[in-house]
Amino acid sequence: MLFTRERPLSPFAVDHRASRGRLFPAEPSPTRTEFQRDRDRIIHSTAFRRLKHKTQVFVEHEGDHYRTRLTHTIEVSQIARALARNLGLDEDLAEALALAHDLGHTPFGHAGEDALDALMAPHGGFDHNAQALRIVTRLEQRYAGFDGLNLSWETLEGLVKHNGPLVAPTGEPIGRYRAKGVPLAICEFDKLFALELASHASAEAQVAAIADDIAYNAHDIDDGLRAGLFGIDDLSDVPLIGLIIAEIDAKWPGLEPPRFAHEIMRRVITRLVEDVGQEAERRIMRLDPLSAQDIRRAPLPVIAFSGGMAREEKALKAFLFERMYRAPRVMVMREQAERILRALFQRYMADPAAMGAAQGEAARPRAIADYIAGMTDRFALAEFQRLFDETPPLR
């Protein structure tokens, strides 16, 4: 008997008791559901611990109060659990997916991923979702009986498809993979343990994906204000934020900036979460799903912003892109980060022993990409200094 509090779930929620299992069969746990086991394996993984020292937007030495990949992940998991609870979904699966969603990210945020993708272009490219799959199915080497974490089918499916189907029913890549194709790591694993790449993922996976959007929209406002990249007055013309600023001004005139910033952030999260909940209920009522498989077969995601909120969220992203992600200070960091990763990659290609283990010619580029992607910011900076006897420009 499981020592877990059973609660009624929606008919379209994923039922842990009906899990499709694991690549390597395992005896059920007497104390945890399958998705609780997945969550715990993710938390105890090496890749999860490394998120502590990986950039979200700002490199960690710029300040102790900016988000890292780890603090972002924790915020995503909290929002995902709240949404899952309100919709009657499996909270543990939603949480596991939220905790795993950034495992494949490189050091130095998106700058690192873009640099590594360009360097790996002749060798299949680099994609952080595919890298997350490699980590949980191959690169983590902790267990005696298998490589990876041997997660359940439902967690692996959600990890790969949380942003939607990867291929059309006819098999052609779609969406972000239309131009370059589905990454080889995903294709190879799909042959071993088919993940139904042409369908949507579960509602729990969709919840984790939109929780990611909600979290970074809110905390990037907070980090951008803290960094001085823009001020509260600059946000007044952003539709969603302008209304919130007016509310705060009316209720607490003269509120000091740190408290004002936090009020903005918490209200942004609340508005977005409430909108998603209401839109999800509308879509679910129209679809009338009777199983998790009905969610997967639906023509559209069931977890989404309403039309009006989607437009406001897009305007907020456009503001953050211009004023934060492309701010001169951030762009300087981005250029230097790309330079560091290019130098490391080229050095390891020329001398694989420099990364501590010689690799065969065929495996070398992907092994180097795995090694670099697993680095924290601080380790990449230390490696650059060790190999080139040069103070890293990000210090």
Side-chain angles (χ1 to χ4, degrees), residues 94-207:
E95 182 183 28
L97 290 165
L99 292 171
H101 84 280
D102 268 355
L103 291 180
H105 273 289
T106 65
F108 310 130
H110 290 291
E113 179 172 5
D114 291 345
L116 204 49
D117 185 37
L119 291 162
M120 287 294 293
H123 315 288
F126 180 88
D127 174 84
H128 74 266
N129 282 339
Q131 190 68 15
L133 183 67
R134 281 178 64 78
I135 287 168
V136 302
T137 61
R138 183 173 179 176
L139 298 180
E140 284 282 333
Q141 297 183 346
R142 306 170 57 81
Y143 296 91
F146 49 81
D147 289 340
L149 304 180
N150 197 29
L151 302 178
S152 68
W153 184 92
E154 291 77 11
T155 299
L156 294 172
E157 177 221 20
L159 187 62
V160 168
K161 299 191 303 186
H162 61 270
N163 289 320
L166 277 60
V167 300
T170 51
E172 310 89 51
I174 60 175
R176 63 184 292 182
Y177 297 122
R178 181 176 285 110
K180 296 182 179 180
V182 177
L184 184 61
I186 295 175
C187 294
E188 289 180 340
F189 187 79
D190 187 61
K191 292 177 183 177
L192 293 175
F193 203 33
L195 298 175
E196 299 179 359
L197 301 182
S199 72
H200 287 282
S202 65
E204 286 83 355
Q206 295 178 37
V207 157

Side-chain angles (χ1 to χ4, degrees), residues 10 31 75 105 140 164 194 220 225 248 251 261 276 306 316 343 379:
S10 301
T31 59
E75 292 175 3
H105 273 289
E140 284 282 333
D220 282 357
L225 288 168
I248 300 168
K251 189 168 185 178
V276 168
S306 66
L316 174 56
F379 185 77

Side-chain angles (χ1 to χ4, degrees), residues 275 279 282-283 304-314:
D275 180 83
E279 180 65 16
R282 286 193 288 269
R283 294 187 180 208
F305 296 116
S306 66
M309 185 60 79
R311 289 188 290 273
E312 293 190 346
E313 195 252 355
K314 184 177 180 180

Side-chain angles (χ1 to χ4, degrees), residues 27-89:
E27 290 295 320
S29 167
T31 59
R32 295 173 295 167
T33 71
E34 294 303 316
F35 306 143
Q36 288 169 350
R37 294 175 82 182
D38 287 353
R39 175 201 61 205
D40 297 346
R41 289 182 180 192
I42 291 163
I43 289 173
H44 288 279
S45 69
T46 302
F48 185 79
R49 291 195 299 277
R50 287 174 178 159
L51 296 177
K52 178 182 178 183
H53 296 298
K54 288 196 176 189
T55 289
Q56 185 68 21
V57 175
F58 299 101
V59 180
E60 62 167 354
H61 70 267
E62 293 189 83
D64 293 335
H65 299 290
Y66 297 122
R67 269 72 176 182
T68 65
R69 286 284 173 196
L70 181 59
T71 57
H72 164 70
T73 294
I74 292 169
E75 292 175 3
V76 173
S77 70
Q78 178 270 315
I79 295 169
R81 285 198 76 106
L83 280 168
R85 185 180 306 117
N86 290 337
L87 294 168
L89 303 174

Side-chain angles (χ1 to χ4, degrees), residues 331-348:
M331 289 302 294
V332 168
M333 182 279 289
R334 180 184 181 91
E335 292 166 4
Q336 296 295 350
E338 291 175 350
R339 176 191 162 217
I340 288 170
L341 293 196
R342 281 196 303 270
L344 291 176
F345 186 91
Q346 291 161 359
R347 179 61 178 269
Y348 296 145

